[in-house]
Structure formats: C-alpha cells, structure tokens
Amino acid sequence: MKKILLQISLILGTLLSLNLNADPIKSIEILGLNAISRGTVLSYLPVEVGDDYNTQVSAQIIRSLYKTNFFKDIEVSQDSQILKINLQENPHIKYVDVINYSDKVIDEDSLKQILKSMDLSQGKIFNKRQLEKLISQLEGTYISKGYYSIKITKTIETDAQNRIGIELDIDEGEVARISSMKITGSKVNDEDDLLDLFEIGEPDFFIINYFTRKDHYSKVALDAGIEAMKSSYINSGYLDFKVNKIKTKLSEDKQSIDIGIDISEGEEYKVGSIQFTGDLLNQSVKHLRELLTISKGDVFERKKVIESIQAITDVFADQGYAFAKVDPVTVEDAKTHTIDLNIKISLNKKVYINRITIVGNTRTQDEVIRREIGINEGGLYSNTELDESIKKIKRLGFFSDVKMEVSKLKDFDDKINLHFSVEETKTGTFSIGLSHSNSSGASFNMGIKEKNFLGTGNTLNASFSTSEAVQEMSFFFVDPYFTEDKHSISYGLFTKDVDGTGLSVSAYNINETGGSIGYGIPLTEDTRINADLRMSSRDITCGATFADANHEKKQCASGNSSEVKANLNWNNNTLDDYNFPTDGQKNNISVDLALPIADFRYYKLDASHKSYYPIPTNALDDLVLTLKGSIGLAQGYGDNDLPFFKRYYGGGSSSVRGFDFNSLGATYSDGKAKGGELSLLAGTSIISPMKFISNSKNMRMSAFIDAGSINEKVSSFDLDEVRMSTGLAFLWLTPVGPLGVYAAKPLLKKSSDKVKTVEFTLGTSF
C-alpha cells in the first residue's frame, strides 16, 4: 500500500511540476528559413498558438521537425510567451549528374525514374542516406549485368545559397566474359540444344560475336535462360525437372566467368484418364474430346493442355457464357508417371452486351468502327466474334493500335460493357512537290490520297503528276459500305500519257483517257467479289525500236484505240493488321477481259497469295515468317496479239529485288526488256521489329529470298529464265508513306542481267 501511494505521489508531483512550468504560447517565431516556407514548418508542428509550452512540448517539436529530414539542426525555446524555433536547413539539390554510364545497362529514362523515386532530383532536400542507397543500387545493377569492376565516384559541392551539386562518375570497367558454360545431368536433351535456350553463353565466331555479344555475362539473362529451360522440360512432360545447382566462378581479375548448371530431368509423365464434369450444357463428351489436342497415353505437354482448355472455353464463350470457367484438375501418380485430368466446367449465366463505347477516334466516325463489330448492343456475347471484330478494325488501316476491354455492369451479372480504344494513324496525304522514283524518274506531283476521307471510311484519290515517263491526272472514289449489306461502289476518271523510254522498256508513247465504275459484294466476312467496267481511248505512237518486231509494228499501224475492259476480282483477307500483319492470309484472283465491242481483244488472269506466320519460339520471339507468290497470264484472242503495253515486267522492289527495274526476261536488240505473257513470282522473308531502337513501332527489318521469271510467250516457259536473290530490307512508316531500303545479292543470274544491289523505295511494303 505504501508503494502504491508513493508512485501516485510521484506521478502527481511530475504533473504538478509540468503544469507549474507550463506557459501559454502567444506567438510562434521561426528563424533560419531559406528555401522552406513558414507555412510548411507550421504544418508539421504538434502545437499552435494558445497551447501550453513546457520541456515535453519542446522535445515533441524537435522530434517532429527532425522526421521531415528538412533540417540538420533545431533549437526550441520560449521567451515572454513567444515560442522561438531556430532552424538550420538541410541543403537543397541543385543538380544530380550521372556521367559515363552505359545506355545498355541503364537507359536515361530509367535513371530519371530512379532519381525521382529517391527524391534526388533538382529542388529536393538532400538526404545523404538516399544518395548512398542510390550508389548501392547502381552498383548492384551493374554487377547483375556482369560489370564486376564497377566503381562510382561521388563529388558533392555546396554553394553559398546552401544548394548541393552532386556528380556521380561511373567507371564501368569491362563486362565479365563467359569463358565456359556447361550443363550437366541432361540425358533426354542434347546439351547444345539446352544452351541454345540461353541468350548468353560461350562466344560465337569472332565476327558474329562482335554483334551478338553472346559471351557478355548477365545474371538477368542467366535467370531468364534457366526459366526457359524449366518451361521447356515441364511443357514436355518432365514435371519433376529441377535445377540442382548453379555455379558461377569469377576470375581474380573479374574479367571472365565460368558457369556450371547441374540439372535433374526426372521421369516423363504421360496423360492418364480424361473426364469432364460440371455444366456440359448441350455439348456431348465426344464433341468436347474432339476439341482436345491431347489424349490418353500422350506425353503430358502443358502447352497442349492450355490450348485444349482454351478451345473448350471458346465453345461456351461463343454461346454467351463470357465468364465460363474451365479448370483442369490434375492428379499426379508418381509411381506410374501419369497425370489424370478432370476438366471441370462452370458456366455461370449467359452474358449480353449492354453498351459498346469507342474512344480515341479523333477523325474516324463511330459508325465506321461499329460496322466492323460483329455484335450489337443487346446481343449475346461471343468471344470468336469479338476477336474477329478486332482483326477487321485493324485491317481497315485507319489505326496504329486497337484494344478492347470488358467491364462488368454493377448489380448485373449477366451484362457487360465493351470498351474499344483506338489510336488514329495517318491514312492520307495532301502533297505538292518534287519527287524521284526508279520507275519514272523525276516528277512534279500534286494531289490528295485519302483512304479514310473525312473519317467516313471512304477512299478518295485525286492527283496530278508529271515526270519523264508519265503524265497523269486521275480521280477515284470508293464507298466500301454503299449499302447496309456492305456492298461497295467505285468510280473514277483518268487521263494518262506514258513514255515507254522513261520506263526502261521500249520506245513508245501512249496517251489514254477514260473512266471506270465498279461494284462489290461480300461473300463472307473475309471474302469479297468485285466487278469493274473500264472504258478508255488510246493514241499510240511507236518508236524505231519496234521496227524489227513485226507484232509491235502491226499494232502500231493498226490504228486500234478504243478499249472496253471488264474485270472480275475475288479477294480474301484474314490478316490481323493492315500495316504490319503477324498472322493470316491475303489471296486474290483477278480476270480482265477486253470486250470485242472495242478495238483491243485480250485477257489477263492474275492470282496472288501472301501469308504470315508468327514464329513462337524463345529464341525468335516476335519474328514473322512471310510466304508470297503470284502468277500472271495474258494473251490476245480472236487472231489478236496481246498489246505490248499489257505485258508483264519484272525486276526491282516490287518483284525480284537485286535486279534492275523492269529488266527481267527477253530483250530487244537495244537491251530493253520486251516483257512477257507469263509472270511467275515467289518469295519468303522473316520480319522482325527493331527492338534495339526506341520508339520503333513503325519500323521493321527483314531477311528475304525473292525468285521469279518473265516469259515472252506462255508456250515458251523456260526454267532458265528464273532469277533469284537474297538480302536484307528495312521499312519505316513515315508521315509521307512507307520508306524502304534494301540490299540484295543475286543468287541465280546471267552475265547479261542488270543488277541493282542497293535501292531506296517509297510506297513499298514487305
């Protein structure tokens, strides 16, 4: 009892003492401020005018202000009920310069973000601990990239205004080179195949290694390779695969490193029983099994399991079950090394589209986009239909990016909103100026070319151009949605004067004037058929080159001038993008017939194919394989020859690169190409984005092989006329159109062929 009374008396005495020493605060005086405002300091104080002041309050003020890291010295006192706070500010940062760092290790934008996140940017209060933390982080980043000799020297200067300048000088040293890299424990896979999964490794051949830098060590790249190897084994049924040990040995001079990776592959697992449970709806088990890409006894490949689950999910999603859950429950049997699959299906409710919103279309009208979307508001959800809708919007060529998001409607589990986000791209130009092309020489041009005229989705081309070879005026208009059923209409007028000498073919001059009208009908979502009628009149003047060519001489002397040509065109397009497709095909079949009601009588049959295939491997991520081919056949009928100006020509950027423009096939005595009745062209290429260049989404590069031949007569087809080339090409979608350059080397050629190994192009795509 005595102890309790003693403690109470001590507490009361302390409180009484504090109360006796307390004095009300009538005003607050803050001294020593330079960069920090009085209001900022007051906002951190635990007291205000009118509160009592004592030694405990003084301690609270000091603690609160020190926590801000704004000050390096704080004094608090009271005189005549005036609270006096004398402060000495920490210096502010005048600048932070990091010099001699490598963009390959830390890019400028990332460095700025790091400095900002650590409050080490201009105007911030200097914090020594944050600076040391920054240096430590930079060193760690360099070491993780293999720069073990990294040294960072800091220089700090304080000016008369208490501002600090910080300079960090980075001496990177040399990156550690991989002298050896081994994988042990592999029995199923060859060691070289496993090493190919890594971006780093033992050096390539000297010249190649100079560009690939494969022997530059990086822990990030090593970890990525380990994950790629794990995925490769697990996706191949080796579920017990594990990495036992990763051993890295750095040389004493920190210039080279040896890497050893020991693995255990485990046993290969196969698929056991497969069953379906849950909401099967009207789908039979037999039909669901047909969707699977795996069956009992197959190697358990996780990739195929994922593909199978997605296929089943799509079946139900296309029936309106947007949130259907298809979960593969696996039961592993370690003794038999099999995995049983129980595919559980939970459908939930059918989902309907509540609203469709479109943003980002600053020029293109909403209706132009909505008519490509295969689902209307109030309609049943369909996953396949929406995927196809996105492809169709991309194929318009009006947008550089198209995205779609799905959001649930609050309080309604059977309704969703669709949000389409597009990014407009340049679809046309108004041009006036001078240009030069390999085909027609220097030219003056003026005109409008717009495939999304006034945002309506219509195409308008109106132009005037004059050059050494061609003088042309034209007007062309296409409405792709002339009717609600997506019928199209087109019409145009033109006048054209062609000088064959300027086109590197032969001496002739053709002056043509005419017009055209066309109509198109969709056959399917991806296929259309178009009919076109073109009427024109020509004046033909032939030069001396034609004197030794009887059929040309006959045509020049015949006085033929009028032409009525009917065209029937079938085209199919499943490409996933207009500018840079990565998947899909584009096919075209065209028939031209010069009707016998006019002077010219001939026909042309043209067919072309182009397909794109993504290359989904770790080593070749984001690459696209392209295959293309075309065949053209043209002949006269009714005892008439094919007009010489309707023949096919080859060579140059649009056919077989590496050979001069329009130079392939038979030639006249002066070396000019005659052209031919039969054209065969083919090619393949691998296209890659240019990831090593920032802001390069409108750039691509490719490695290609081109082949083709031009045969003077269909009956005289000769494999000896085939030409082939290989090379590299670069394409950039500039504001004025596609700009390309290629370097090509002929593989099949004759000594008389005209070659062109390097060429710049405008308006050519891969």
Side-chain angles (χ1 to χ4, degrees):
M1 188 66 179
K2 288 181 179 180
K3 289 182 179 180
I4 294 174
L5 291 173
L6 180 60
Q7 290 176 351
I8 292 173
S9 64
L10 289 173
I11 293 172
L12 290 173
T14 302
L15 293 174
L16 182 60
S17 173
L18 290 173
N19 189 53
L20 290 173
N21 294 331
D23 208 2
I25 301 171
K26 286 188 176 182
S27 64
I28 299 175
E29 185 178 300
I30 302 174
L31 305 174
L33 292 180
N34 182 20
I36 301 172
S37 68
R38 172 183 169 85
T40 300
V41 177
L42 290 175
S43 68
Y44 285 101
L45 292 181
V47 295
E48 58 186 18
V49 173
D51 291 346
D52 289 336
Y53 173 82
N54 53 46
T55 54
Q56 187 177 12
V57 171
S58 175
Q60 290 175 350
I61 292 172
I62 292 172
R63 283 197 301 269
S64 298
L65 293 181
Y66 266 127
K67 283 182 181 179
T68 66
N69 291 320
F70 294 167
F71 312 104
K72 62 181 179 181
D73 193 22
I74 303 169
E75 293 181 3
V76 178
S77 63
Q78 189 183 41
D79 184 15
S80 301
Q81 297 182 324
I82 299 174
L83 177 63
K84 294 184 178 181
I85 304 175
N86 196 0
L87 303 170
Q88 187 176 352
E89 294 179 351
N90 278 324
H92 280 64
I93 297 174
K94 185 178 181 181
Y95 61 83
V96 178
D97 286 342
V98 182
I99 61 175
N100 297 325
Y101 68 93
S102 172
D103 284 339
K104 296 174 183 177
V105 181
I106 303 174
D107 62 75
E108 185 177 356
D109 289 339
S110 297
L111 181 59
K112 287 180 179 178
Q113 288 297 324
I114 293 171
L115 293 172
K116 185 177 180 181
S117 66
M118 291 187 171
D119 286 334
L120 287 171
S121 54
Q122 185 180 12
K124 296 292 184 179
I125 294 172
F126 174 66
N127 187 320
K128 187 176 181 180
R129 285 180 295 178
Q130 287 295 89
L131 179 60
E132 295 302 325
K133 184 179 178 181
L134 170 66
I135 293 173
S136 178
Q137 183 171 330
L138 292 176
E139 289 175 341
T141 301
Y142 270 92
I143 289 172
S144 70
K145 297 292 182 70
Y147 291 85
Y148 289 98
S149 301
I150 176 68
K151 292 181 180 178
I152 301 178
T153 304
K154 64 180 178 183
T155 303
I156 301 175
E157 294 181 353
T158 306
D159 64 14
Q161 296 177 322
N162 200 30
R163 296 180 302 176
I164 275 191
I166 304 170
E167 182 180 271
L168 300 180
D169 188 354
I170 297 179
D171 180 5
E172 297 177 340
E174 291 293 327
V175 63
R177 303 294 183 98
I178 299 172
S179 58
S180 69
M181 185 169 174
K182 306 295 181 185
I183 298 177
T184 58
S186 59
K187 299 177 181 177
V188 177
N189 291 312
D190 185 76
E191 183 186 10
D192 289 338
D193 293 335
L194 295 178
L195 289 171
D196 286 341
L197 296 173
F198 292 78
E199 292 183 1
I200 58 173
E202 295 178 10
D204 291 320
F205 180 69
F206 173 73
I207 297 178
I208 298 176
N209 195 72
Y210 177 81
F211 294 100
T212 64
R213 301 187 176 187
K214 188 174 182 180
D215 64 338
H216 287 204
Y217 174 75
S218 164
K219 187 177 185 304
V220 175
L222 178 62
D223 292 342
I226 294 294
E227 290 303 315
M229 184 167 58
K230 286 181 180 178
S231 297
S232 176
Y233 270 100
I234 292 173
N235 288 333
S236 300
Y238 291 87
L239 305 187
D240 296 332
F241 171 83
K242 58 183 179 179
V243 177
N244 298 323
K245 184 186 294 185
I246 302 174
K247 186 178 180 181
T248 57
K249 184 179 179 181
L250 186 66
S251 64
E252 291 186 4
D253 60 4
K254 299 181 180 180
Q255 296 300 301
S256 65
I257 191 168
D258 297 303
I259 303 172
I261 305 169
D262 184 61
I263 64 174
S264 295
E265 295 175 322
E267 295 292 332
E268 182 184 64
Y269 280 73
K270 295 188 176 182
V271 179
S273 63
I274 302 176
Q275 60 178 330
F276 298 88
T277 58
D279 304 324
L280 303 187
L281 200 61
N282 58 349
Q283 300 293 328
S284 66
V285 172
K286 181 181 178 182
H287 175 63
L288 294 176
R289 287 187 183 277
E290 290 174 350
L291 297 173
L292 302 177
T293 56
I294 55 173
S295 57
K296 185 176 181 179
D298 290 348
V299 174
F300 185 86
E301 297 183 54
R302 185 161 294 177
K303 181 180 178 181
K304 288 187 175 181
V305 174
I306 294 172
E307 290 174 350
S308 300
I309 297 305
Q310 187 60 55
I312 295 171
T313 303
D314 288 343
V315 166
F316 291 108
D318 288 344
Q319 299 179 57
Y321 296 97
F323 305 115
K325 293 183 179 180
V326 182
D327 297 321
V329 179
T330 59
V331 178
E332 180 180 331
D333 190 329
K335 292 183 179 179
T336 61
H337 300 112
T338 58
I339 295 179
D340 296 331
L341 270 176
N342 178 14
I343 301 175
K344 292 185 176 181
I345 301 172
S346 177
L347 297 182
N348 299 311
K349 288 184 178 181
K350 282 191 174 184
V351 174
Y352 295 84
I353 309 301
N354 178 57
R355 288 193 61 194
I356 299 175
T357 57
I358 302 170
V359 297
N361 51 322
T362 54
R363 263 188 329 116
T364 306
Q365 298 174 11
D366 264 23
E367 178 56 30
V368 174
I369 302 172
R370 287 183 184 274
R371 66 195 186 191
E372 301 296 336
I373 301 173
I375 299 178
N376 297 320
E377 293 175 342
L380 197 62
Y381 178 90
S382 171
N383 194 53
T384 300
E385 197 65 62
L386 287 174
D387 286 345
E388 186 61 30
S389 297
I390 293 174
K391 289 182 181 179
K392 288 194 291 184
I393 295 172
K394 288 182 176 181
R395 284 202 295 264
L396 290 173
F398 304 160
F399 311 106
S400 60
D401 193 20
V402 180
K403 295 178 181 177
M404 186 198 73
E405 293 181 357
V406 175
S407 64
K408 293 183 179 180
L409 204 62
K410 188 177 181 181
D411 300 328
F412 292 91
D413 56 2
D414 62 344
K415 292 183 180 181
I416 60 172
N417 292 326
L418 299 179
H419 307 277
F420 286 85
S421 175
V422 299
E423 184 178 333
E424 298 270 10
T425 189
K426 189 176 182 64
T427 58
T429 58
F430 173 77
S431 60
I432 179 170
L434 297 172
S435 63
H436 186 278
S437 73
N438 293 312
S439 60
S440 57
S443 67
F444 169 80
N445 58 81
M446 178 176 65
I448 297 173
K449 295 183 178 181
E450 175 59 72
K451 62 186 177 186
N452 186 18
F453 183 59
L454 299 179
T456 61
N458 298 330
T459 297
L460 173 67
N461 284 348
S463 65
F464 165 77
S465 64
T466 178
S467 68
E468 300 171 14
V470 181
Q471 291 80 42
E472 182 176 12
M473 286 190 296
S474 64
F475 172 87
F476 185 73
F477 183 84
V478 179
D479 182 353
Y481 279 80
F482 181 62
T483 70
E484 293 182 358
D485 297 326
K486 301 182 182 180
H487 291 203
S488 64
I489 191 170
S490 63
Y491 44 86
L493 297 170
F494 61 89
T495 177
K496 188 174 185 179
D497 189 4
V498 179
D499 183 351
T501 305
L503 288 173
S504 302
V505 285
S506 286
Y508 63 80
N509 183 276
I510 299 175
N511 188 292
E512 182 182 13
T513 302
S516 66
I517 185 170
Y519 199 82
I521 300 173
L523 301 179
T524 67
E525 288 291 336
D526 305 319
T527 307
R528 295 184 66 86
I529 188 167
N530 299 283
D532 182 86
L533 186 66
R534 178 185 174 105
M535 295 164 286
S536 65
S537 176
R538 293 185 181 88
D539 288 331
I540 303 175
T541 304
C542 298
T545 306
F546 283 49
D548 63 349
N550 293 329
H551 54 291
E552 282 87 355
K553 184 176 182 181
K554 178 181 177 182
Q555 290 182 14
C556 291
S558 68
N560 288 351
S561 61
S562 63
E563 177 182 281
V564 178
K565 183 180 68 176
N567 171 268
L568 191 64
N569 178 275
W570 173 92
N571 64 79
N572 169 263
N573 188 344
T574 62
L575 300 181
D576 61 353
D577 191 72
Y578 182 85
N579 293 315
F580 294 123
T582 60
D583 196 8
Q585 298 183 354
K586 188 174 184 179
N587 302 291
N588 187 80
I589 299 175
S590 179
V591 180
D592 283 336
L593 179 65
L595 301 178
I597 59 176
D599 294 329
F600 292 101
R601 291 170 172 81
Y602 66 91
Y603 67 88
K604 297 185 76 173
L605 303 175
D606 294 281
S608 64
H609 167 83
K610 184 176 283 189
S611 54
Y612 295 80
Y613 304 94
I615 303 177
T617 65
N618 292 327
L620 300 173
D621 191 25
D622 292 334
L623 298 189
V624 177
L625 172 67
T626 304
L627 302 176
K628 63 179 181 179
S630 67
I631 180 171
L633 186 153
Q635 288 183 312
Y637 69 88
D639 296 327
N640 289 272
D641 292 319
L642 175 70
F644 59 84
F645 49 84
K646 290 296 180 181
R647 296 177 191 153
Y648 296 103
Y649 292 87
S653 60
S654 60
S655 55
V656 184
R657 288 165 284 190
F659 295 87
D660 204 2
F661 177 77
N662 281 357
S663 65
L664 299 187
T667 61
Y668 294 109
S669 57
D670 62 357
K672 301 288 187 179
K674 289 184 177 181
E677 296 180 346
L678 179 64
S679 169
L680 298 171
L681 300 172
T684 182
S685 60
I686 294 179
I687 304 172
S688 169
M690 304 182 69
K691 291 185 175 181
F692 52 88
I693 297 179
S694 60
N695 193 25
S696 61
K697 69 177 183 178
N698 288 330
M699 299 179 185
R700 294 292 186 274
M701 63 185 300
S702 71
F704 64 83
I705 297 176
D706 289 343
S709 67
I710 301 296
N711 295 270
E712 185 177 4
K713 293 290 184 180
V714 175
S715 57
S716 62
F717 171 72
D718 189 353
L719 287 174
D720 195 44
E721 294 296 327
V722 175
R723 300 291 184 269
M724 183 180 293
S725 65
T726 185
L728 299 174
F730 165 77
L731 178 64
W732 178 21
L733 294 182
T734 72
V736 297
L739 177 65
V741 60
Y742 71 79
K745 177 180 177 59
L747 299 176
L748 292 178
K749 72 180 185 69
K750 291 184 177 180
S751 58
S752 59
D753 289 338
K754 299 178 181 179
V755 300
K756 179 168 285 188
T757 55
V758 178
E759 187 171 359
F760 290 87
T761 62
L762 183 64
T764 300
S765 61
F766 290 141

